[in-house]
Amino acid sequence: MKWFAISLFLLLAASSCKTNAFKKSSYHEQYGNKLSDAGLRHTALGRSWFTAAESALRSPLEISLPFNQSGYFSAEKHFAIGLSFQAQRGSKLLFRLKKNPVSNFTIYCEIWKRSNDEPELVMAADTSQTEFELEIEEAGRYILRMQPELLQSGEYNISVSVGPGLGFPVAGKSKIGSFWGAERDGGGRSHEGIDIFAPRRTPALAAADGKVLRVEEYQLGGKVVFFRPRDKHLSLYYAHLDEQLVEPGQKLKAGDTLGLIGNTGNARSTPPHLHFGIYATGGAIDPLAFVDPVVKKAPAVTHQTKTLQMAHRTTGAVKLQNGLSIGANNIVLPRAGNDQFYIVDVPGSGTFAVPKGFLQAADKALRERPVRDSVHLLEQPMANSPRMLLLPAGRNVSVLGLNGGFSFVRVGETEGWLSSSDLK
């Protein structure tokens, strides 16, 4: 067919596109433009691809970080996944993508910022990259959208780890002993930073490449250094130093020593520590996410990807998003899974997250039933669905599950749908 040949050409052309790791002009958008230019947007094939892309942004599934998910994209089902998560300012997210097959299987990965209006594209990963990072400059909810090109099938695994956007500002062994918001002066003010305790004269380090802004001494902070990370609208505040070792205007590399930890200023009655603060437009902000040395790695995925290539049924009633619910033995089609739930298509309803304990493979029949009269097996649980096999009256079928007034059945090696009223 002509449209198939055009599509195949576009797939090969788009797959060869490789430039910078990140760019505002999305590769997904470029591919969509090629489909439109070829006249495919208004075909059934093209419409389903664009609809899936829009749905992934409009109705993403809620997850928490860190995160790890395996999935399967089928050439027969034009599918996109939208995953919505909360991210803290100052953290750095590391995305790792694995694909099988590695070549000739393109997945477009994008990060969007959720807002009250339309989602805003923040980053688009090069289709050749297996790892990409995002530093969170504004706290809020974000969406990871993943979608393959048309007519491509394959397995994937995506993991998201959470780490700091800056280096840790103290050398050697240390401990964070006081956090943002802790009471000070009997509740008269709150702590605008974190205190990192370490032995006296432990080096205080530049948390990034940048430039020293000021080297001063105050009554409260004692000996202090203000430092500006390169390409960031932030000022890092190092206080209670025993000694300052830099001068204003001096350029430093991440890890360079800018002073030695002490307890000068109003910290003379406390053990030596570094008061570390961050100031941005509007004032002080919590610095912990910027420098937290604990990298939160994604949990392992325990299911096998082959599980995602077969129909499942619910083991009991399940509440879905948006107030919907489905009963026991309802057929769903898994598309992806993580350590807690499967992402499934509920035929006729949409894409939802279902806890793993509520699903089982629909490989064994619930019962055997004959059809009342001659009837066609359907591709989908709807009266106007494309027809498949013509079944003669009295033909036995294996009922695997239900969906509304339809039954999902197996006839020989073929699976499809029948109206439940067509069964005796």
Side-chain angles (χ1 to χ4, degrees), residues 220-241:
L220 290 179
K223 295 179 180 181
V224 306
V225 171
F226 288 89
F227 180 76
R228 169 65 56 81
R230 188 177 64 194
D231 300 328
K232 296 182 186 295
H233 299 293
L234 302 170
S235 179
L236 311 187
Y237 176 59
Y238 296 74
H240 306 315
L241 296 173

Side-chain angles (χ1 to χ4, degrees), residues 305-382:
T305 308
K306 65 180 182 181
T307 302
L308 307 176
Q309 301 178 37
M310 63 178 69
H312 281 57
R313 58 176 176 252
T314 53
T315 58
V318 181
K319 292 184 178 180
L320 306 175
Q321 288 176 304
N322 303 324
L324 299 177
S325 63
I326 53 178
N329 295 322
N330 202 105
I331 289 293
V332 300
L333 306 174
R335 302 299 179 190
N338 54 62
D339 63 318
Q340 295 180 329
F341 58 80
Y342 285 113
I343 295 175
V344 304
D345 271 352
V346 179
S349 297
T351 302
F352 302 92
V354 175
K356 281 189 169 183
F358 283 87
L359 293 182
Q360 63 179 196
D363 53 350
K364 296 181 180 179
L366 295 173
R367 52 188 172 271
E368 302 289 331
R369 298 281 295 276
V371 298
R372 294 180 183 277
D373 302 301
S374 177
V375 65
H376 280 93
L377 195 64
L378 304 175
E379 286 187 0
Q380 299 293 330
M382 56 187 68

Side-chain angles (χ1 to χ4, degrees), residues 44-114:
L45 181 72
R47 280 198 305 271
S48 64
W49 190 86
F50 283 101
T51 298
E54 294 168 2
S55 178
L57 291 182
R58 185 175 61 254
S59 304
L61 298 172
E62 303 294 332
I63 64 170
S64 58
L65 300 181
F67 186 74
N68 191 356
Q69 176 172 294
S70 292
Y72 179 78
F73 286 118
S74 171
E76 299 176 359
K77 172 66 177 179
H78 306 130
F79 186 63
I81 287 180
L83 302 172
S84 174
F85 55 87
Q86 181 73 29
Q88 290 182 288
R89 182 177 183 178
S91 62
K92 179 187 290 185
L93 308 185
L94 173 61
F95 299 82
R96 288 188 173 93
L97 175 65
K98 297 179 182 179
K99 301 183 299 178
N100 183 26
V102 175
S103 58
N104 300 320
F105 176 40
T106 298
I107 299 178
Y108 296 106
C109 295
E110 301 169 321
I111 309 296
W112 296 71
K113 178 73 167 60
R114 297 188 73 169

